[in-house]
Structure formats: structure tokens, C-alpha cells
Amino acid sequence: MNLYLRYFDNETLVSNVDDAIDFLHSIQDINVTPEMEADIREYAESDVFFPKRYKIRAHVYFIIIKTVAATMLDFKQKKGVRNSSNNSDRRGQVDNAMTQLTEIHEGWYEGELNFKRVVLIPSTGKHEYRDTNFVARCKANSGQDCYNRIVEHLRGRVDRRSQFPSAKGKNFQFKYLGMWK
């Protein structure tokens, strides 16, 4: 794993922490403290792949980025981006979830919805939001249709200020149970 460091126009790509610290010592504006050195070493050894920035003074930082790029040119051309395949996998999972939600399969569905329900507190006379889990089985044409039927059912039975999540979010799950007879 290599480290890319940049401070304004000064930048380098190094293969170890000692070279990174030497680079920082060569910059006059940066006061490298033992705590900063220890923090950089800890960052380099950790599993964290997010860029790390260090404050020099108000609104002035230097950054460190972990990369698998072997050269500065590779880094600049984003050939060393570690999680590019993970992003495409995530995008594929989102597309797959959307496809499952809208895919037409007539039959019985079980839908589970977590929503914010407005409830009256009798002792104070005030209302509050409560997380509420609702599970129902219904006849539907798709996951989206199942969601719409559940929300329509609930809208007539709970306070109109209750908040329902998106069908695309993590607060709605559904299962296809099979064809109706």
C-alpha cells in the first residue's frame, strides 16, 4: 500500500511511512509533532481507506490518501483507486433491488414497513413520533404494489402526520409468498 501526500502544490507518492514523514519535514509550514507521526503511522497500518486530512492552521490542511497505484501517473489517472469495483457492485445491488421492487409477479406478498407514527401521550396531551413496525400479507402485483397497499391501508388508520418511508429504502422489505389461487 502506497501513500499519496499533498500540501498545496507539493505532492508525493511514497511506499512507506518514514518517507511520508520525511516529506512532511521538508515542508517549512508543517510542524511535525510526535503525536502527528504516531497518528500517521496508525492511519497507514489501519484498514481505513478514506483520505485523512491534517489541519496546519485555520483553513489550511494537508491530505494523505492510501492507494495501490505504483506511480504518480497511475494515481493521477485513477488506476490505483481501491474500491472502484465495490462502487459498481453497490450500484448493481441498487439496480437489482429496484428491479425486484417493480418486477411483476402476481400473488401473495408479505411486506414489513417501519414508519414514524404520531401518537397522543394522554398524561401531557401532546403528540410524539414513535417508531412503529407493521407487517401485513396482501395480494399484489409487485413489491411496489405491496408497499402501496400497505401505506394506503395505514393512512386511513393512523394520524395523518405519520411519516412513511420510501419503498426503495431500508425501512421496507417484502417477500413474495406465491401465486394466489
Side-chain angles (χ1 to χ4, degrees):
M1 187 66 53
N2 293 328
L3 298 171
Y4 169 79
L5 290 90
R6 186 178 75 213
Y7 178 72
F8 290 106
D9 293 338
N10 301 320
E11 63 183 358
T12 189
L13 185 70
V14 296
S15 60
N16 61 50
V17 179
D18 293 326
D19 290 342
I21 292 170
D22 289 342
F23 170 75
L24 294 173
H25 278 295
S26 71
I27 300 172
Q28 189 175 17
D29 291 349
I30 299 175
N31 179 25
V32 181
T33 63
E35 294 82 18
M36 183 187 291
E37 281 188 38
D39 194 40
I40 292 171
R41 288 182 193 283
E42 183 180 320
Y43 170 72
E45 293 170 5
S46 72
D47 293 335
V48 175
F49 284 91
F50 293 108
K52 185 148 179 101
R53 76 180 184 172
Y54 291 89
K55 187 172 188 173
I56 304 303
R57 61 183 178 276
H59 307 291
V60 177
Y61 299 86
F62 75 86
I63 64 166
I64 299 177
I65 300 173
K66 287 185 182 179
T67 182
V68 293
T71 66
M72 185 67 84
L73 181 63
D74 288 347
F75 180 78
K76 295 288 182 170
Q77 292 177 346
K78 299 190 191 290
K79 291 181 181 175
V81 177
R82 181 182 182 276
N83 55 1
S84 61
S85 63
N86 292 345
N87 286 341
S88 64
D89 289 347
R90 247 185 254 127
R91 196 173 305 117
Q93 289 173 351
V94 170
D95 291 343
N96 189 23
M98 286 301 300
T99 302
Q100 287 179 353
L101 187 65
T102 58
E103 194 173 324
I104 302 293
H105 281 298
E106 294 180 343
W108 284 97
Y109 284 83
E110 181 177 271
E112 181 178 353
L113 184 69
N114 294 316
F115 68 102
K116 300 280 187 189
R117 183 177 185 175
V118 174
V119 179
L120 174 67
I121 301 170
S123 61
T124 63
K126 295 184 179 182
H127 293 82
E128 73 176 10
Y129 286 102
R130 289 227 177 111
D131 289 332
T132 305
N133 187 34
F134 183 80
V135 180
R137 290 183 178 174
C138 63
K139 288 183 179 179
N141 297 325
S142 66
Q144 182 68 50
D145 188 34
C146 173
Y147 170 83
N148 292 340
R149 289 173 185 258
I150 290 172
V151 170
E152 182 181 325
H153 172 80
L154 289 171
R155 283 198 196 277
R157 289 164 175 76
V158 298
D159 191 293
R160 62 180 172 76
R161 295 171 289 180
S162 296
Q163 299 174 354
F164 298 100
S166 168
K168 302 171 195 170
K170 63 181 181 181
N171 289 321
F172 174 68
Q173 294 89 29
F174 68 94
K175 281 190 290 191
Y176 178 68
L177 300 175
M179 189 65 167
W180 59 53
K181 294 182 180 178

